[in-house]
Amino acid sequence: MTAFIAKLTIKPDMRAQFEAAQTELRTLTHKHEPNTPVYELLQSRDEPNVYFCVATFTDEAAFEYHMQTDFHDRLVPPIMDCLAGDMELSFYNVIGEK
């Protein structure tokens, strides 16, 4: 399995728009991507404009599929418009999974 963690710092006045788009992306990912067992958005308790998106994929093909879905293409540009700076994206291997 493979995973990513994205750190997203948003503009304070864009919080509602950001959360709405991310929530829709999460819902559609869970509904249409069985090979994406985890897709969650976390908000920092200390810095309310800092979020982390955590996703796991059964393999690289599942990640590629996620990146090419029509809803991903529709929702990511408005999400990116909410950012106060560059997204920090890191990839990981999931330990203990086959």
Side-chain angles (χ1 to χ4, degrees), residues 1 4 6-8 26 43 47 56 59 61 83 89-90 92:
M1 288 183 68
F4 74 72
K7 181 180 179 183
L8 306 115
R26 176 189 180 272
Q43 182 183 31
E47 299 176 74
T56 63
D59 54 27
L83 299 185
L89 183 62
S90 301
Y92 302 88

Side-chain angles (χ1 to χ4, degrees), residues 25 28 33 64-80:
L25 183 55
L28 291 168
E33 297 182 48
E64 292 300 326
Y65 179 81
H66 171 74
M67 297 300 288
Q68 296 175 12
T69 61
D70 60 341
F71 54 85
H72 185 275
D73 288 346
R74 176 176 56 84
L75 292 166
V76 169
I79 288 169
M80 299 303 282

